[in-house]
Amino acid sequence: MQGGVQRLLGGAMASDEVTSWLDSLVEEELLEEQRAGRFAGERELCFRHGLLRDAAYATLTPGDRALAHRLAAEWLEGAGAVSYTHLTLPTTCTP
């Protein structure tokens, strides 16, 4: 969810820069677009492989992880996530 990425970055990048950055990660086949997004009007991306997600997550310090979880939860709540299924991350993209 591009809006969630924007929230995690705390405004450090403009929206068009985030779009360009995410596009390059898709082109490099690290991320792929989720066909059936959970939030209307939001571009939803996922890691191409669960190991990529795990490796990226492992680079976060415990403090950064806690902050990222808080910011993601705030964004999800604002985007209308009301069920637990909206708060879980898929291991890989679903077809």
Side-chain angles (χ1 to χ4, degrees):
M1 293 159 269
Q2 187 164 332
V5 172
Q6 192 82 34
R7 175 72 173 118
L8 288 172
L9 293 173
M13 293 172 74
S15 181
D16 60 334
E17 290 176 300
V18 172
T19 299
S20 178
W21 178 56
L22 292 173
D23 287 344
S24 69
L25 293 174
V26 170
E27 288 173 20
E28 293 171 16
E29 298 184 354
L30 297 172
L31 299 177
E32 60 185 8
E33 290 204 40
Q34 186 78 292
R35 291 189 184 144
R38 294 174 282 182
F39 298 97
E42 269 296 322
R43 178 183 184 197
E44 190 168 340
L45 301 162
C46 58
F47 285 96
R48 197 162 161 88
H49 194 283
L51 291 175
L52 287 170
R53 185 204 61 227
D54 293 347
Y57 189 75
T59 65
L60 297 173
T61 65
D64 285 343
R65 224 175 274 144
L67 175 62
H69 285 193
R70 183 177 58 77
L71 293 172
E74 288 172 3
W75 183 86
L76 285 165
E77 184 177 50
V82 293
S83 70
Y84 181 75
T85 57
H86 280 111
L87 301 177
T88 59
L89 294 173
T91 303
T92 56
C93 288
T94 55

